[in-house]
Amino acid sequence: MKIATFNVNSVRARLPVVLDWLRYHDPDVLALQETKVPDDGFPVKEFEELGYQVAMHGQKSYNGVAIISKEKAKDVQFGLGDEQLDEECRVIRATFDGVTVINTYVPNGNEVNSEKWGFKMRWLDCFAEFSKDFAKSSERAIWLGDINVAPTPGDVYDSERMAGGVAHHPDEFKRLKKIVKTGWSDCFLEFCTAPGQYTFWDFRVPNSVGLNAGWRLDHIYCTESMREKCQRCWVDKTPREEEKPSDHTPVVAEFDTM
C-alpha cells in the first residue's frame, strides 16, 4: 500500500496540483485535509476520471477531510463521537483491505491561551481516547494528516524562537506524546533523520521555501504490526514549489501489506 497525506488548503483551488501529483505518484490512498468544500461541491468527477474513488466529509470554506482511493473505502465513518468537537469536519476513517486509515485535520489553535487554543487541547485529549483502541499492536491501522504539532526541535526551522508558540508548545507536546504512547509509531522518523525536512512553509514568511523556513506538521503514524511492514516514508516537496501551491506538501509512506 502506498499512502500519502496532503493538506491542500482548498481542494478546488489546488485541483490541478493534486491531480498532477496523483498521475505521477499513483498512490493507493491519498488523505486530504482542509478541503474547504461541502460534499455536494467536491470535484468527485475529476478524481474518478483518474480511476479513484472519493469519501469526503466537508463544510463550506473551512476544514474538511477526504480520502481518495483506488479501492472503494469500507466502513466509512466521521468524527470523534463528541457532538461539540464534531461540529467541525476534521476526522474521516475508512478500511482498505483490512487496514484502518484515520485521516485527521487537527485544529491549529490560533493563539496560545485563546478560545481556539482550548478547543485544540480538548480535541487532542478526545482523540487520545478515540484512537487508543486502533493503536493496539495487533491492529492494522494508520493515522495520518495535518497534525498541527511540530513535536521536536528538529521539526521547525528555528525551534528556539518558535518555542512556546502555536504548534511548538509543551501543552501540545504532552498531548501528542500521550496519543503516540498508546501504540503509534511515527513512520517518517523511522526512515528520515536528516535535518531540514519539513511539510509546511508559511505564506506569510517571505521566501520561506527558498530559505527552507519550514515546519513538519504533517505526519503518518502506524501501529506496531504495520511498522514492521513499512518500507519507506518521505516528504515530497515538489508540489510546494509549483505555481499556486498549498502551503503544505505531501508525506508518503509505503507498506508491504501482502
Side-chain angles (χ1 to χ4, degrees), residues 16 18 29-30 59 64 69 74 87 114-115 118 146 171 180 183 236-237:
V18 177
V29 178
L30 173 61
Q59 62 189 89
S69 60
K74 298 178 181 177
E87 288 181 358
S114 67
E115 183 178 348
D146 179 357
D171 290 352
V180 171
D236 180 12
K237 191 176 179 180

Side-chain angles (χ1 to χ4, degrees), residues 23-184:
R23 292 186 189 98
Y24 185 81
H25 288 277
D26 194 35
D28 298 293
V29 178
L30 173 61
L32 302 180
Q33 304 87 40
E34 209 172 353
T35 54
K36 295 184 177 181
V37 62
D39 292 349
D40 60 5
F42 198 99
V44 173
K45 179 182 177 182
E46 288 83 348
F47 288 98
E48 290 180 339
E49 288 174 348
L50 293 184
Y52 285 91
Q53 302 190 51
V54 180
M56 65 288 218
H57 180 44
Q59 62 189 89
K60 184 179 180 180
S61 303
Y62 299 97
N63 308 316
V65 285
I67 299 178
I68 315 299
S69 60
K70 292 181 179 179
E71 176 188 324
K72 185 175 181 179
K74 298 178 181 177
D75 192 27
V76 179
Q77 298 188 47
F78 312 116
L80 297 174
D82 182 291
E83 184 175 351
Q84 181 184 20
L85 298 179
D86 290 341
E87 288 181 358
E88 299 186 353
C89 297
R90 294 185 176 276
V91 181
I92 182 172
R93 78 177 191 266
T95 302
F96 302 93
D97 194 24
V99 178
T100 299
V101 174
I102 306 169
N103 175 18
T104 59
Y105 175 41
V106 175
N108 172 271
N110 189 252
E111 182 179 344
V112 175
N113 296 325
S114 67
E115 183 178 348
K116 290 184 177 180
W117 179 259
F119 183 87
K120 182 176 189 176
M121 298 304 103
R122 292 195 302 275
W123 197 100
L124 289 168
D125 287 338
C126 187
F127 186 79
E129 288 299 310
F130 167 84
S131 68
K132 65 182 182 182
D133 287 339
F134 297 101
K136 295 174 182 176
S137 61
S138 60
E139 293 294 316
R140 286 159 51 95
I142 298 169
W143 162 40
L144 76 174
D146 179 357
I147 309 304
N148 257 321
V149 182
T152 75
D155 291 326
V156 61
Y157 70 99
D158 190 341
S159 177
E160 184 176 351
R161 184 161 68 91
M162 302 302 178
V166 171
H168 202 52
H169 190 283
D171 290 352
E172 297 166 314
F173 303 161
K174 179 176 68 176
R175 286 167 170 81
L176 181 58
K177 185 177 181 180
K178 179 181 178 181
I179 295 168
V180 171
K181 284 182 69 175
T182 62
W184 298 107

Side-chain angles (χ1 to χ4, degrees), residues 150 153-159 161-162 195-218 237 240-241 246-249:
D155 291 326
V156 61
Y157 70 99
D158 190 341
S159 177
R161 184 161 68 91
M162 302 302 178
Q197 299 191 68
Y198 306 124
T199 68
F200 166 83
W201 295 263
D202 197 331
F203 287 138
R204 297 168 298 180
V205 177
N207 193 30
S208 62
V209 177
L211 296 171
N212 201 26
W215 303 64
R216 189 174 75 94
L217 301 179
D218 306 84
K237 191 176 179 180
R240 185 62 178 85
E241 298 170 328
S246 169
D247 42 4
H248 293 252
T249 207

